[in-house]
Amino acid sequence: HYRCRSAFKLLEIDDKLHILRPGLSVLDCGAAPGAWSQVAVERVNALGTDPAVPTGFVLGVDLLRISPLEGAVFLPEADIADPGTQRTIQNLLPAGKVDVILSDMAPNATGIKELDHQKLINLCLGLLNLSQSILKPKGTMLCKFWDGRESHLLQSRLKEQFQDVRTIKPQASRKDSAESYYLARLYKGK
Ligand code: SAM
């Protein structure tokens, strides 16, 4: 019932590393068509389906339109790198903050590997910047990157701001040889 196979990457990562729990609030960046948001809605109990555990919150943002999903709030046709979008996100979040930032964002690939790599690293660095205003202390950030010469730069920035940073290569994305994820946990805050 997932909108896209990419769901299995997040399920696999979360089964192993437990980043989503009932009651957490999540920002899903690059959310279209919405499969990661579906997983997040289930795992944080955003619909309150299980009354015995806390109810979470999911906000998905994308440049594209996204079909509505019960339990999620979507901000479509919005560029995460745009300061206007960032203000809107803050206003939509409960108390203006999240526990988890997910990013499966990918720029339109040009086919020039080095350029695509750089664009995605820049998107991730921008997100890291945004995390300073919206991520709760001890929060988590999971972001996709395409490996290349600037990966270590992103990794060292993450290490400055999070206590625990690891590289993940889900089985579900083995086909795509360049794709990996950084999982950064325990945000140090300001
Ligand atoms: N995780 C999604 C799912 O499971 O349905 C799939 C995400 S898809 C691989 C990458 C998405 O990132 C695309 O929909 C694209 O529009 C979005 N994206 C790329 N750059 C973006 C930006 N600057 N702001 C917001 N979304 C962006």
Side-chain angles (χ1 to χ4, degrees):
H1 67 300
Y2 292 112
R3 295 176 179 187
C4 178
R5 288 197 52 76
S6 53
F8 297 104
K9 292 187 257 180
L10 182 58
L11 288 167
E12 184 187 328
I13 293 169
D14 193 52
D15 283 342
K16 206 180 293 176
L17 293 146
H18 311 290
I19 58 182
L20 302 171
R21 287 195 312 277
L24 296 187
S25 66
V26 176
L27 174 65
D28 180 13
C29 303
W36 276 34
S37 289
Q38 288 178 293
V39 172
V41 164
E42 291 167 3
R43 300 232 158 158
V44 306
N45 191 37
L47 272 168
T49 316
D50 183 351
V53 295
T55 301
F57 177 87
V58 177
L59 172 63
V61 182
D62 205 287
L63 291 171
L64 305 177
R65 294 188 183 180
I66 321 172
S67 308
L69 171 69
E70 242 196 312
V73 176
F74 285 140
L75 180 59
E77 299 176 277
D79 184 344
I80 197 82
D82 182 337
T85 302
Q86 302 187 356
R87 281 191 296 275
T88 309
I89 288 172
Q90 267 185 295
N91 291 332
L92 289 170
L93 294 175
K97 300 266 182 184
V98 287
D99 300 286
V100 181
I101 297 176
L102 302 175
S103 171
D104 195 30
M105 285 193 291
N108 279 330
T110 62
I112 303 166
K113 242 180 141 182
E114 184 58 31
L115 184 61
D116 293 337
H117 157 72
Q118 212 136 38
K119 278 175 142 182
L120 185 47
I121 293 288
N122 285 338
L123 266 178
C124 294
L125 288 170
L127 200 54
L128 188 54
N129 214 37
L130 173 64
S131 70
Q132 297 192 3
S133 39
I134 65 165
L135 188 59
K136 292 183 196 170
K138 300 202 172 147
T140 301
M141 179 166 150
L142 174 71
C143 62
K144 171 157 80 186
F145 68 100
W146 290 321
D147 204 15
R149 58 159 58 155
E150 310 235 316
S151 306
H152 70 279
L153 174 74
L154 173 60
Q155 189 182 34
S156 63
R157 290 281 169 77
L158 287 166
K159 282 183 171 165
E160 283 166 17
Q161 298 188 42
F162 293 82
Q163 278 179 43
D164 179 44
V165 178
R166 61 181 78 189
T167 310
I168 301 174
K169 177 91 191 154
Q171 292 278 87
S173 64
R174 258 197 324 189
K175 269 193 311 176
D176 187 342
S177 58
E179 177 184 277
S180 296
Y181 292 82
Y182 283 130
L183 174 61
R185 290 191 291 193
L186 295 171
Y187 184 57
K188 294 175 187 171
K190 271 182 263 181

